[in-house]
Amino acid sequence: MSRPEAQRADGRRSREAILAATERLLLEGDGLSVSALAREAGLTRATFYRHFSGTDAVLDALTRSIADTLLPQLLAGLADLPLYAALDRLAQEVVAVAEAYRHVLVSQPHSIEDLARLVVPDEPIASFLADRRGRGSWFLT
């Protein structure tokens, strides 16, 4: 019997392989199917289903993974800017991210509002703005 740590590491590798395969297929413009994703990841359909319930679930996971990587960097870059400069940078960054990950966004089955709630559940932008208002820096330029 294999060690639990090895099983967890193997599971993480399989999950990451599926996410990477999803992004590759989206970039290539190929349709997503469980069979295609499993084949591209070098896994079986059964392994795919151990990690995801279907293509919508893997798209959600890929989108969350991208957001988890980009959002902390984005917020850190806004922290010391005056509010209006921060809002301007935020708008520019959102457009740049949307362009860079267009292949993922257009494949999503969710509305943009539902997608935002999916990837940013704790609303850090709203917290950022509330903090600025609380510090009296709302109107700083």
Side-chain angles (χ1 to χ4, degrees):
M1 183 183 280
S2 61
R3 296 184 337 250
E5 299 85 24
Q7 290 174 344
R8 285 193 295 267
D10 186 50
R12 281 192 302 274
R13 281 192 301 273
S14 294
R15 181 178 168 79
E16 291 303 315
I18 294 166
L19 293 176
T22 302
E23 189 156 12
R24 281 193 304 273
L25 290 178
L26 289 173
L27 279 168
E28 293 169 5
D30 295 341
L32 290 184
S33 69
V34 172
S35 295
L37 288 169
R39 184 174 43 256
E40 181 71 18
L43 304 167
T44 65
R45 287 172 47 97
T47 300
F48 176 92
Y49 281 119
R50 267 187 233 121
H51 296 279
F52 300 102
S53 61
T55 57
D56 286 355
V58 77
L59 282 168
D60 287 353
L62 178 60
T63 305
R64 275 192 214 102
S65 175
I66 292 166
D68 289 348
T69 301
L70 297 178
L71 194 58
Q73 296 169 9
L74 172 63
L75 292 175
L78 301 177
D80 295 326
L81 294 176
L83 183 62
Y84 287 156
L87 292 174
D88 185 53
R89 166 94 49 89
L90 175 63
Q92 291 174 21
E93 292 292 331
V94 166
V95 170
V97 167
E99 180 60 30
Y101 292 97
R102 184 179 193 286
H103 59 286
V104 176
L105 295 173
V106 299
S107 300
Q108 273 291 335
H110 303 291
S111 70
I112 194 70
E113 295 86 3
D114 290 341
L115 186 58
R117 285 185 202 93
L118 172 74
V119 299
V120 191
D122 59 349
E123 299 190 36
I125 303 300
S127 298
F128 170 79
L129 294 174
D131 176 60
R132 288 298 179 98
R133 279 193 300 269
R135 290 189 296 166
S137 60
W138 182 251
F139 294 105
L140 295 179
T141 59

